[in-house]
């Protein structure tokens, strides 16, 4: 796995917090089925880990939670990147043993599984193909496709040693349902420093830093012209973007303020390590918490 895409100075997501309707049910799912360990639990929130040090996903129970519904902006899926194809084969075997319903795709740059948690929050679990096998156009776009996944070579690499998610698992990317692709592209590529690296017609855009195939996916397939989900609805509460240092954080904050975006401190995050510098709301009503980790 090429780890440099999820290290500074790249703008990568390190953590996602989800709102759920039944915390005990979700803990059971995320530990038994997905393979996380519990890092910390307090009140109505649990922080999940693979290495016992940092949390990739946290779950917060919402009182009188409303279910997910079409037409709202928010999470399309979050994506866990496994270290190796062997790890993907092992988790496929694990899912089969637990009769987990799966979708699966070959994206040329990656091989991916798709599933949903008990509240319908989308999850992708994937491995990247070697970076030198990705195809880039002279215009700076990466070739991605969606084809049926061939499980045979993946399962051939499995060794049957499933002990939960590997310690080297990272948050590979986040994919968001947005209301307006144009305004969202301006925000992420003009105000923040992402680059557009792939487009699917006029309804989906993939952006990254450091020539990754995507750190963030954006689409209007179910959410075009939509509104943010109510606060009490299940779904995405916030996601983090890691900034390389506090000087750069000041530049990002100034760019956000100059654009008229909200810049504030978000009391409920991150709470799992990493230093929050500030928070904002993107054009789709989605909260981003910016952190400077390792300082």
């Amino acid at each position: 796995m090429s780890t440099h895409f999820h290290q500074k100075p790249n703008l990568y997501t390190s953590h996602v917090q989800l709102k759920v309707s039944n915390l005990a049910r979700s803990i059971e799912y995320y530990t038994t089925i997905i393979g996380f360990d519990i890092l910390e639990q307090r009140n109505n929130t649990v922080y999940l880990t693979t290495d016992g040090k940092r949390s990739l996903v946290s779950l917060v129970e919402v009182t009188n939670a409303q279910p997910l519904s079409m037409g709202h902006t928010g999470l399309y899926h979050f994506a866990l990147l496994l270290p190796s194809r062997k790890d993907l084969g092992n988790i496929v075997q694990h899912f089969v043993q637990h009769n987990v319903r799966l979708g699966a795709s070959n994206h040329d740059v990656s091989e991916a599984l798709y599933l949903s948690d008990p509240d319908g929050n989308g999850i992708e679990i994937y491995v990247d193909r070697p970076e030198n096998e990705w195809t880039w156009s002279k215009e700076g776009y990466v070739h991605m496709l969606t084809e049926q996944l061939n499980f045979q070579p993946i399962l051939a690499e499995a060794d049957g040693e499933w002990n939960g998610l590997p310690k080297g698992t990272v948050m590979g990317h986040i994919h968001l349902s947005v209301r307006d692709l144009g305004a969202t592209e301006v925000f992420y590529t003009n105000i923040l420093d992402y680059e557009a690296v792939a487009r699917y017609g006029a309804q989906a855009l993939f952006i990254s830093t450091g020539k990754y195939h995507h750190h963030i996916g954006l689409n209007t397939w179910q959410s075009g012209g939509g509104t943010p989900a109510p606060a009490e609805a299940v779904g995405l509460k916030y996601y983090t973007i890691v900034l390389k240092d506090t000087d750069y954080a000041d530049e990002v904050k100034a760019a956000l303020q100059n654009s008229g975006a909200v810049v504030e401190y978000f009391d409920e995050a991150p709470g799992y390590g990493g230093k929050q510098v500030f928070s904002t709301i993107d054009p789709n009503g989605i909260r981003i918490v910016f952190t400077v980790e390792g300082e």
Side-chain angles (χ1 to χ4, degrees), residues 49-192:
T49 186
T50 61
D51 63 2
K53 299 172 186 174
R54 65 206 166 105
S55 175
L56 299 180
V57 175
S58 56
L59 309 170
V60 57
E61 184 174 283
V62 179
T63 306
N64 299 320
Q66 294 184 16
L68 286 173
S69 59
M70 300 276 280
H72 289 303
T73 60
L75 184 72
Y76 190 69
H77 62 242
F78 68 88
L80 301 171
L81 175 59
L82 303 180
S84 73
R85 209 180 192 202
K86 178 186 76 174
D87 298 317
L88 190 67
N90 287 342
I91 203 169
V92 169
Q93 290 181 336
H94 165 71
F95 286 155
V96 168
Q97 289 166 1
H98 283 78
N99 297 313
V100 175
R101 289 183 61 185
L102 284 179
S105 293
N106 165 27
H107 294 304
D108 198 46
V109 294
S110 63
E111 296 171 303
L113 311 175
Y114 295 94
L115 58 165
S116 297
D117 79 1
D119 286 297
N121 293 308
I123 304 168
E124 176 182 343
I125 298 174
Y126 74 110
V127 291
D128 280 332
R129 285 222 163 88
E131 184 183 347
N132 60 6
E133 294 180 11
W134 305 350
T135 304
W136 291 86
S137 72
K138 60 180 183 292
E139 293 80 23
Y141 288 96
V142 67
H143 175 67
M144 291 197 290
L145 46 75
T146 299
E147 291 182 348
Q148 188 172 354
L149 185 65
N150 182 0
F151 280 98
Q152 285 185 319
I154 296 168
L155 289 169
E157 296 197 27
D159 61 10
E161 294 294 318
W162 169 256
N163 297 299
L165 288 170
K167 289 183 178 180
T169 302
V170 299
M171 186 64 67
H173 63 266
I174 189 167
H175 195 143
L176 304 172
S177 294
V178 304
R179 72 178 304 275
D180 181 286
L181 211 55
T184 304
E185 181 173 359
V186 167
F187 177 85
Y188 282 96
T189 63
N190 289 13
I191 301 168
L192 302 181

